Amino acid sequence: MEFDRVQTIASLSFDKEAVPEEFIRPEKEQPAITTFRGPAPEIPAIDLSEPDQEKLVGLIADASKEWGIFQVINHGIPSDLIAELQGAGKKFFELPQEEKEECARPHDSKNIEGYGSKLQKDPQDKKAWVDHLFHRIWPPPSINYQFWPKNPPSYREVTKEYAKYMRDVVDKLFTALSLGLGLEGHVLKEAAGGEQIEYMLKINYYPPCPRPDLTLGVVAHTDLSAITVLVPNEVPGLQIFKDDHWIEAKYIPDALIIHIGDQIEILSNGKYKAVLHRTTVAKNRARMSWPVFLEPPGEIVVGPLPQFINKDNPPKFKTKKFKDYTYCKLNKLPQ
Protein backbone atom coordinates (compact mmCIF):
# COMPACT_ATOMS: atom_id res chain seq x y z
CA MET A 1 0.00 0.00 0.00
CA GLU A 2 1.44 3.39 -1.02
CA PHE A 3 1.16 6.49 1.15
CA ASP A 4 1.88 10.01 -0.02
CA ARG A 5 3.70 10.98 3.17
CA VAL A 6 6.66 13.35 3.28
CA GLN A 7 8.64 10.87 5.38
CA THR A 8 8.35 8.36 2.52
CA ILE A 9 9.17 10.95 -0.14
CA ALA A 10 12.19 12.08 1.89
CA SER A 11 13.62 8.57 2.05
CA LEU A 12 13.52 8.39 -1.77
CA SER A 13 14.78 11.94 -2.42
CA PHE A 14 18.30 11.57 -1.05
CA ASP A 15 19.29 9.26 -3.93
CA LYS A 16 18.79 12.19 -6.30
CA GLU A 17 19.93 15.02 -3.97
CA ALA A 18 16.74 16.76 -5.08
CA VAL A 19 13.17 17.33 -3.92
CA PRO A 20 10.01 17.01 -6.02
CA GLU A 21 8.94 20.24 -7.75
CA GLU A 22 5.83 20.68 -5.59
CA PHE A 23 8.05 21.20 -2.49
CA ILE A 24 10.17 23.99 -4.02
CA ARG A 25 9.01 27.37 -2.71
CA PRO A 26 8.97 30.54 -4.85
CA GLU A 27 12.20 32.54 -4.54
CA LYS A 28 10.59 35.15 -2.28
CA GLU A 29 9.97 32.36 0.28
CA GLN A 30 13.13 30.24 -0.09
CA PRO A 31 14.98 30.18 3.23
CA ALA A 32 18.48 30.38 1.69
CA ILE A 33 17.55 33.72 0.13
CA THR A 34 15.23 35.18 2.78
CA THR A 35 16.75 34.22 6.18
CA PHE A 36 18.43 37.20 7.88
CA ARG A 37 22.10 36.45 8.58
CA GLY A 38 23.16 39.61 10.41
CA PRO A 39 23.01 40.38 14.14
CA ALA A 40 19.39 40.12 15.20
CA PRO A 41 17.49 40.68 18.44
CA GLU A 42 16.57 37.57 20.39
CA ILE A 43 13.03 36.52 21.24
CA PRO A 44 12.38 37.52 24.88
CA ALA A 45 13.03 34.75 27.42
CA ILE A 46 10.98 35.12 30.60
CA ASP A 47 11.38 33.37 33.95
CA LEU A 48 7.87 32.21 34.86
CA SER A 49 8.93 31.72 38.49
CA GLU A 50 9.60 35.48 38.86
CA PRO A 51 8.23 36.29 42.35
CA ASP A 52 7.41 39.92 41.48
CA GLN A 53 3.99 39.48 39.81
CA GLU A 54 3.91 43.03 38.48
CA LYS A 55 7.29 42.60 36.82
CA LEU A 56 6.27 39.23 35.31
CA VAL A 57 3.03 40.68 33.92
CA GLY A 58 4.96 43.60 32.42
CA LEU A 59 7.49 41.31 30.71
CA ILE A 60 4.78 39.08 29.23
CA ALA A 61 2.63 42.01 28.10
CA ASP A 62 5.58 43.83 26.49
CA ALA A 63 6.71 40.69 24.65
CA SER A 64 3.15 40.04 23.44
CA LYS A 65 2.74 43.58 22.11
CA GLU A 66 6.20 43.91 20.60
CA TRP A 67 6.92 40.37 19.41
CA GLY A 68 3.81 38.17 19.70
CA ILE A 69 6.13 35.43 20.93
CA PHE A 70 8.35 34.71 23.93
CA GLN A 71 10.07 31.77 25.62
CA VAL A 72 9.43 30.79 29.22
CA ILE A 73 11.81 29.01 31.59
CA ASN A 74 11.17 27.67 35.11
CA HIS A 75 7.59 26.99 34.03
CA GLY A 76 6.99 24.01 36.31
CA ILE A 77 6.82 21.21 33.71
CA PRO A 78 9.53 18.68 34.71
CA SER A 79 12.30 18.35 32.13
CA ASP A 80 12.13 14.54 32.32
CA LEU A 81 8.43 14.68 31.41
CA ILE A 82 9.23 16.86 28.37
CA ALA A 83 11.91 14.32 27.39
CA GLU A 84 9.40 11.45 27.75
CA LEU A 85 6.82 13.32 25.65
CA GLN A 86 9.43 13.90 22.95
CA GLY A 87 10.67 10.31 23.13
CA ALA A 88 7.15 8.92 22.71
CA GLY A 89 6.43 11.19 19.72
CA LYS A 90 9.74 10.31 18.07
CA LYS A 91 9.01 6.60 18.47
CA PHE A 92 5.60 7.05 16.83
CA PHE A 93 7.18 8.58 13.72
CA GLU A 94 9.75 5.76 13.64
CA LEU A 95 6.99 3.11 13.42
CA PRO A 96 6.37 1.24 10.13
CA GLN A 97 4.20 3.35 7.81
CA GLU A 98 1.20 0.99 8.03
CA GLU A 99 1.17 1.32 11.79
CA LYS A 100 1.25 5.13 11.67
CA GLU A 101 -1.65 5.06 9.20
CA GLU A 102 -3.86 3.46 11.88
CA CYS A 103 -4.10 7.00 13.36
CA ALA A 104 -4.70 8.66 9.97
CA ARG A 105 -7.21 11.45 9.56
CA PRO A 106 -10.14 10.08 7.54
CA HIS A 107 -10.26 11.57 4.00
CA ASP A 108 -13.79 12.88 4.42
CA SER A 109 -13.24 14.31 7.92
CA LYS A 110 -14.13 17.93 8.62
CA ASN A 111 -11.90 17.69 11.69
CA ILE A 112 -8.11 18.11 11.58
CA GLU A 113 -7.46 15.36 14.14
CA GLY A 114 -5.32 12.43 13.06
CA TYR A 115 -2.06 11.61 11.29
CA GLY A 116 -1.54 13.37 7.96
CA SER A 117 0.55 15.63 5.75
CA LYS A 118 -1.51 18.47 4.30
CA LEU A 119 -3.46 20.97 6.34
CA GLN A 120 -4.09 24.27 4.57
CA LYS A 121 -4.99 24.93 0.99
CA ASP A 122 -1.99 26.33 -0.89
CA PRO A 123 -2.88 28.75 -3.68
CA GLN A 124 0.21 27.61 -5.64
CA ASP A 125 -0.43 23.92 -4.97
CA LYS A 126 2.89 23.72 -3.19
CA LYS A 127 3.52 21.25 -0.37
CA ALA A 128 5.26 21.66 2.98
CA TRP A 129 8.05 19.31 4.09
CA VAL A 130 6.22 17.93 7.13
CA ASP A 131 4.02 15.12 8.40
CA HIS A 132 1.94 15.66 11.52
CA LEU A 133 -0.27 14.11 14.17
CA PHE A 134 -3.12 16.15 15.66
CA HIS A 135 -5.31 15.20 18.61
CA ARG A 136 -7.00 16.93 21.53
CA ILE A 137 -5.56 16.31 25.01
CA TRP A 138 -7.98 18.37 27.17
CA PRO A 139 -10.77 18.67 28.35
CA PRO A 140 -11.78 14.98 28.65
CA PRO A 141 -15.10 15.28 26.71
CA SER A 142 -13.19 16.60 23.67
CA ILE A 143 -10.71 13.69 23.54
CA ASN A 144 -10.99 11.07 20.79
CA TYR A 145 -8.56 8.24 21.55
CA GLN A 146 -8.96 6.91 18.00
CA PHE A 147 -6.19 9.36 17.08
CA TRP A 148 -3.86 8.63 20.02
CA PRO A 149 -1.09 6.16 19.05
CA LYS A 150 -1.18 2.76 20.76
CA ASN A 151 2.56 2.54 20.25
CA PRO A 152 4.78 3.29 22.00
CA PRO A 153 2.79 1.93 25.00
CA SER A 154 3.88 4.90 27.16
CA TYR A 155 2.32 7.43 24.77
CA ARG A 156 -1.07 7.83 26.43
CA GLU A 157 0.15 8.06 30.02
CA VAL A 158 2.95 10.55 29.20
CA THR A 159 0.64 12.76 27.12
CA LYS A 160 -2.05 12.83 29.83
CA GLU A 161 0.56 13.80 32.42
CA TYR A 162 1.88 16.55 30.15
CA ALA A 163 -1.66 17.92 29.69
CA LYS A 164 -2.07 18.08 33.47
CA TYR A 165 1.04 20.23 33.93
CA MET A 166 0.23 22.28 30.84
CA ARG A 167 -3.02 23.52 32.37
CA ASP A 168 -1.18 25.27 35.22
CA VAL A 169 1.14 27.02 32.75
CA VAL A 170 -1.80 28.07 30.57
CA ASP A 171 -3.69 29.57 33.53
CA LYS A 172 -0.61 31.62 34.47
CA LEU A 173 -0.26 32.88 30.90
CA PHE A 174 -3.91 33.84 30.51
CA THR A 175 -3.88 35.65 33.87
CA ALA A 176 -0.72 37.62 33.04
CA LEU A 177 -2.02 38.52 29.57
CA SER A 178 -5.29 39.80 31.08
CA LEU A 179 -3.59 41.83 33.80
CA GLY A 180 -1.19 43.24 31.18
CA LEU A 181 -4.17 44.84 29.43
CA GLY A 182 -5.54 46.32 32.65
CA LEU A 183 -8.27 43.66 32.88
CA GLU A 184 -9.10 41.36 35.78
CA GLY A 185 -7.06 38.18 35.62
CA HIS A 186 -9.89 35.88 34.50
CA VAL A 187 -11.21 37.93 31.56
CA LEU A 188 -9.20 36.65 28.56
CA LYS A 189 -9.48 32.99 29.50
CA GLU A 190 -13.24 33.28 29.98
CA ALA A 191 -13.63 35.12 26.66
CA ALA A 192 -11.69 32.33 24.90
CA GLY A 193 -13.93 29.58 26.29
CA GLY A 194 -13.03 29.25 29.99
CA GLU A 195 -12.85 25.65 31.19
CA GLN A 196 -14.09 24.50 27.76
CA ILE A 197 -10.93 25.74 25.98
CA GLU A 198 -9.66 22.82 23.89
CA TYR A 199 -6.02 21.80 24.04
CA MET A 200 -5.05 20.52 20.58
CA LEU A 201 -1.64 18.81 20.46
CA LYS A 202 0.17 18.68 17.15
CA ILE A 203 3.38 16.75 16.63
CA ASN A 204 5.29 18.06 13.63
CA TYR A 205 7.82 15.75 11.99
CA TYR A 206 10.11 17.42 9.47
CA PRO A 207 12.22 14.68 7.84
CA PRO A 208 15.82 15.33 6.77
CA CYS A 209 15.68 17.15 3.43
CA PRO A 210 18.30 17.05 0.64
CA ARG A 211 17.50 20.69 -0.33
CA PRO A 212 16.60 22.62 2.82
CA ASP A 213 17.58 25.83 0.99
CA LEU A 214 14.53 25.50 -1.29
CA THR A 215 11.81 24.11 0.98
CA LEU A 216 9.83 25.03 4.09
CA GLY A 217 8.45 22.78 6.81
CA VAL A 218 5.58 25.17 7.47
CA VAL A 219 4.96 28.30 5.39
CA ALA A 220 4.57 31.74 6.94
CA HIS A 221 1.42 31.95 9.05
CA THR A 222 -0.09 33.12 12.32
CA ASP A 223 -1.77 30.53 14.56
CA LEU A 224 -5.57 30.51 14.63
CA SER A 225 -5.49 29.60 18.33
CA ALA A 226 -5.74 31.93 21.33
CA ILE A 227 -2.29 30.89 22.59
CA THR A 228 0.12 28.20 21.38
CA VAL A 229 2.57 26.54 23.78
CA LEU A 230 5.36 24.76 21.88
CA VAL A 231 8.29 22.52 22.73
CA PRO A 232 10.83 21.94 19.93
CA ASN A 233 13.58 19.36 19.66
CA GLU A 234 17.18 20.59 19.46
CA VAL A 235 17.22 21.03 15.66
CA PRO A 236 16.75 24.73 14.83
CA GLY A 237 14.09 25.81 12.37
CA LEU A 238 11.54 28.18 13.90
CA GLN A 239 11.78 31.63 12.29
CA ILE A 240 9.95 34.83 13.26
CA PHE A 241 9.17 37.76 10.98
CA LYS A 242 10.34 40.84 12.86
CA ASP A 243 11.25 44.28 11.53
CA ASP A 244 10.96 43.02 7.94
CA HIS A 245 13.41 40.16 8.54
CA TRP A 246 13.10 36.41 9.03
CA ILE A 247 15.14 35.67 12.15
CA GLU A 248 15.94 32.32 13.79
CA ALA A 249 14.59 31.48 17.23
CA LYS A 250 17.36 30.54 19.60
CA TYR A 251 17.01 27.05 21.11
CA ILE A 252 16.80 27.06 24.93
CA PRO A 253 16.69 23.51 26.35
CA ASP A 254 13.42 22.76 28.20
CA ALA A 255 11.98 26.21 27.50
CA LEU A 256 8.40 26.54 26.23
CA ILE A 257 7.86 28.82 23.25
CA ILE A 258 4.65 30.84 23.62
CA HIS A 259 2.92 32.17 20.50
CA ILE A 260 0.18 34.77 20.68
CA GLY A 261 -2.52 33.46 18.32
CA ASP A 262 -5.22 35.15 16.27
CA GLN A 263 -7.94 34.91 18.94
CA ILE A 264 -5.95 36.85 21.57
CA GLU A 265 -5.09 39.47 18.94
CA ILE A 266 -8.82 39.74 18.14
CA LEU A 267 -9.97 39.86 21.79
CA SER A 268 -7.39 42.59 22.56
CA ASN A 269 -8.43 44.48 19.38
CA GLY A 270 -4.85 44.34 18.15
CA LYS A 271 -3.05 45.37 21.36
CA TYR A 272 -1.38 41.96 21.44
CA LYS A 273 0.05 40.74 18.12
CA ALA A 274 -0.28 37.26 16.64
CA VAL A 275 3.23 36.29 15.54
CA LEU A 276 4.01 35.61 11.87
CA HIS A 277 6.32 32.61 11.78
CA ARG A 278 7.51 29.73 9.61
CA THR A 279 9.65 26.60 9.88
CA THR A 280 12.75 25.65 7.96
CA VAL A 281 14.11 22.09 7.71
CA ALA A 282 17.53 20.49 8.04
CA LYS A 283 19.61 18.32 5.71
CA ASN A 284 20.94 15.68 8.06
CA ARG A 285 18.55 15.66 11.00
CA ALA A 286 14.83 15.40 11.57
CA ARG A 287 13.30 18.43 13.24
CA MET A 288 10.30 17.88 15.50
CA SER A 289 8.05 20.16 17.53
CA TRP A 290 5.12 19.70 19.91
CA PRO A 291 2.79 22.72 19.84
CA VAL A 292 -0.38 22.71 21.96
CA PHE A 293 -2.98 25.04 20.45
CA LEU A 294 -5.41 26.53 22.98
CA GLU A 295 -8.61 26.95 21.02
CA PRO A 296 -12.12 28.13 21.85
CA PRO A 297 -14.83 25.51 21.27
CA GLY A 298 -16.28 25.88 17.77
CA GLU A 299 -19.54 27.53 18.83
CA ILE A 300 -17.87 30.22 20.98
CA VAL A 301 -18.21 33.69 19.49
CA VAL A 302 -14.96 35.68 19.55
CA GLY A 303 -14.59 39.39 18.83
CA PRO A 304 -12.85 42.47 20.22
CA LEU A 305 -13.70 42.95 23.90
CA PRO A 306 -15.95 45.98 24.57
CA GLN A 307 -13.29 47.36 26.96
CA PHE A 308 -11.09 48.09 23.90
CA ILE A 309 -13.69 49.72 21.66
CA ASN A 310 -14.66 53.40 21.67
CA LYS A 311 -15.10 56.20 19.16
CA ASP A 312 -11.32 56.55 18.77
CA ASN A 313 -10.75 52.79 18.63
CA PRO A 314 -13.28 51.04 16.40
CA PRO A 315 -13.21 47.24 16.19
CA LYS A 316 -10.37 46.05 13.93
CA PHE A 317 -11.79 42.54 13.59
CA LYS A 318 -15.15 40.92 12.92
CA THR A 319 -16.97 39.04 15.68
CA LYS A 320 -17.71 35.45 14.66
CA LYS A 321 -17.92 31.84 15.82
CA PHE A 322 -14.52 30.20 16.16
CA LYS A 323 -15.57 27.35 13.83
CA ASP A 324 -16.35 29.89 11.10
CA TYR A 325 -13.03 31.66 11.67
CA THR A 326 -11.23 28.31 11.38
CA TYR A 327 -13.03 27.36 8.17
CA CYS A 328 -12.08 30.68 6.53
CA LYS A 329 -8.46 30.45 7.68
CA LEU A 330 -7.87 26.86 6.52
CA ASN A 331 -9.55 27.51 3.17
CA LYS A 332 -7.74 30.81 2.60
CA LEU A 333 -11.01 32.77 2.54
CA PRO A 334 -11.30 36.39 3.72
CA GLN A 335 -12.38 36.75 7.35
Side-chain angles (χ1 to χ4, degrees):
M1 195 172 179
E2 288 299 311
F3 303 106
D4 189 18
R5 301 301 187 199
V6 179
Q7 207 171 349
T8 309
I9 293 164
S11 63
L12 304 170
S13 298
F14 273 90
D15 302 339
K16 301 187 279 289
E17 283 293 307
V19 293
E21 179 67 29
E22 64 265 28
F23 289 96
I24 298 175
R25 306 305 308 181
E27 274 197 9
K28 67 179 188 300
E29 295 180 35
Q30 289 176 12
I33 297 170
T34 56
T35 300
F36 185 63
R37 303 292 175 192
E42 285 184 5
I43 293 167
I46 298 170
D47 186 341
L48 213 54
S49 67
E50 167 61 57
D52 181 340
Q53 171 82 349
E54 203 173 315
K55 181 182 175 188
L56 179 62
V57 165
L59 290 169
I60 288 175
D62 288 349
S64 303
K65 290 170 183 172
E66 177 68 21
W67 284 80
I69 189 170
F70 52 96
Q71 304 205 47
V72 294
I73 58 171
N74 297 326
H75 42 68
I77 303 180
S79 54
D80 57 352
L81 179 57
I82 291 173
E84 285 171 20
L85 178 87
Q86 292 179 312
K90 185 166 179 281
K91 281 181 181 151
F92 169 74
F93 279 94
E94 289 168 351
L95 292 172
Q97 195 59 40
E98 287 77 5
E99 204 169 335
K100 290 197 286 280
E101 294 295 337
E102 289 174 15
C103 293
R105 173 180 177 259
H107 283 301
D108 55 354
S109 176
K110 290 187 167 58
N111 198 318
I112 60 171
E113 284 191 286
Y115 169 67
S117 301
K118 195 171 182 190
L119 182 58
Q120 278 191 320
K121 279 192 173 176
D122 187 298
Q124 303 151 333
D125 271 337
K126 293 290 184 184
K127 292 182 177 175
W129 195 262
V130 63
D131 294 328
H132 60 245
L133 174 68
F134 270 107
H135 61 76
R136 290 182 181 84
I137 59 173
W138 192 261
S142 74
I143 292 173
N144 185 346
Y145 287 114
Q146 173 190 344
F147 300 116
W148 289 48
K150 296 183 180 68
N151 271 323
S154 63
Y155 186 94
R156 186 178 291 200
E157 187 187 338
V158 166
T159 304
K160 280 183 166 179
E161 187 73 0
Y162 185 68
K164 189 175 83 181
Y165 278 96
M166 175 66 61
R167 284 159 56 213
D168 290 337
V169 175
V170 166
D171 282 350
K172 270 189 188 172
L173 293 170
F174 267 119
T175 300
L177 288 166
S178 281
L179 294 171
L181 291 172
L183 303 169
E184 290 184 29
H186 60 88
V187 173
L188 280 180
K189 181 179 174 183
E190 279 183 15
E195 294 307 316
Q196 268 62 59
I197 288 173
E198 294 177 354
Y199 290 49
M200 177 75 84
L201 171 67
K202 182 186 186 192
I203 307 179
N204 288 305
Y205 183 85
Y206 308 98
C209 178
R211 294 299 306 270
D213 54 323
L214 302 177
T215 53
L216 285 172
V218 177
V219 299
H221 68 289
T222 58
D223 291 348
L224 57 77
S225 59
I227 303 171
T228 304
V229 182
L230 180 146
V231 173
N233 73 350
E234 73 289 350
V235 181
L238 176 63
Q239 295 190 341
I240 312 307
F241 196 65
K242 179 88 166 75
D243 302 329
D244 293 326
H245 293 301
W246 283 108
I247 59 174
E248 295 258 350
K250 178 183 163 190
Y251 172 65
I252 303 175
D254 294 330
L256 303 175
I257 303 176
I258 314 300
H259 299 63
I260 298 300
D262 295 346
Q263 307 313 305
I264 289 287
E265 181 170 28
I266 292 167
L267 288 166
S268 71
N269 204 29
K271 289 181 183 294
Y272 290 147
K273 300 284 185 283
V275 63
L276 186 64
H277 58 289
R278 69 180 187 183
T279 301
T280 60
V281 294
K283 183 158 189 171
N284 300 314
R285 295 185 292 172
R287 182 172 191 274
M288 293 186 72
S289 65
W290 287 257
V292 174
F293 301 97
L294 301 159
E295 301 178 345
E299 295 294 330
I300 289 276
V301 174
V302 179
L305 289 169
Q307 294 94 318
F308 303 123
I309 297 170
N310 55 44
K311 65 178 192 311
D312 300 322
N313 294 290
K316 295 176 181 169
F317 307 93
K318 288 181 184 167
T319 295
K320 56 167 65 177
K321 286 184 177 179
F322 179 67
K323 68 175 185 182
D324 297 332
Y325 185 92
T326 301
Y327 179 82
C328 291
K329 178 119 175 172
L330 294 182
N331 289 286
K332 292 279 196 283
L333 300 170
Q335 290 291 354

